[in-house]
Amino acid sequence: MEENTNLNIGGILAPVDEKTARLKNPVVLAFIGDTVYDLFIRANLVKTSGEHVHALNKKARSFVNAEAQARFSEKIEFTEDELSVFKRARNAKVGTTAKNMSVTDYHKATGLEAVIGYLYLTGQHERLEEIFERILENG
């Protein structure tokens, strides 16, 4: 079976243009970015580990939390567009409170998730791959 590496799928998964994505509320970008981030981490763990679900969940939690995401956000060299998205999301009124974490970490994590959401929505999968490689290096 031939491997399909083309992620430019039509329909619901089709990318949006960058202008449309930039006009989205940054918290909405973080909403989708949170899911993409979680899916990437879990998929990577499944691909690279032969462990049971309990161990996979434990490892996933070490990546998928505001403190870790805040730390990872400091290790990524964002482009100008990405930095703009990050700052808008970091400074946005989120409407929820941080639980068991610092408010600063929560806001940085929201910024990182917004960048991931932005890149995903605009179909910038190579850049997403670079960012996730950086995250895994620092995990």
Side-chain angles (χ1 to χ4, degrees), residues 86-116:
F86 177 84
K87 287 180 178 180
R88 283 181 43 231
R90 182 195 63 196
N91 297 331
K93 297 225 184 259
V94 181
T96 58
T97 57
K99 297 175 188 142
N100 304 320
M101 66 195 81
S102 79
V103 173
T104 301
D105 283 352
Y106 187 77
H107 287 290
K108 285 181 182 178
T110 301
L112 177 61
E113 289 170 349
V115 170
I116 289 170

Side-chain angles (χ1 to χ4, degrees), residues 27-45:
V27 178
V28 171
L29 294 174
F31 170 76
I32 189 68
D34 175 57
T35 298
V36 172
Y37 182 91
D38 188 57
L39 178 62
F40 173 84
I41 294 299
R42 288 172 183 269
N44 185 67
L45 289 172

Side-chain angles (χ1 to χ4, degrees), residues 5-115:
T5 58
N6 183 1
L7 296 177
N8 291 329
I9 303 168
I12 198 166
L13 295 178
V16 300
D17 62 88
E18 291 181 25
K19 181 179 178 186
T20 300
R22 276 194 300 273
L23 292 174
K24 298 281 183 199
N25 181 313
V27 178
V28 171
L29 294 174
F31 170 76
I32 189 68
D34 175 57
T35 298
V36 172
Y37 182 91
D38 188 57
L39 178 62
F40 173 84
I41 294 299
R42 288 172 183 269
N44 185 67
L45 289 172
V46 167
K47 289 178 183 179
T48 60
S49 173
E51 299 185 60
H52 294 288
V53 172
H54 178 73
L56 293 172
N57 269 324
K58 187 174 180 179
K59 283 185 177 180
R61 282 193 306 270
S62 72
F63 285 92
V64 184
N65 67 72
E67 183 181 339
Q69 289 172 313
R71 188 176 70 249
F72 298 145
S73 74
E74 295 170 356
K75 305 290 185 187
I76 297 166
E77 292 183 37
F78 293 117
T79 66
E80 190 175 319
D81 282 345
E82 293 165 359
L83 187 57
S84 173
V85 169
F86 177 84
K87 287 180 178 180
R88 283 181 43 231
R90 182 195 63 196
N91 297 331
K93 297 225 184 259
V94 181
T96 58
T97 57
K99 297 175 188 142
N100 304 320
M101 66 195 81
S102 79
V103 173
T104 301
D105 283 352
Y106 187 77
H107 287 290
K108 285 181 182 178
T110 301
L112 177 61
E113 289 170 349
V115 170

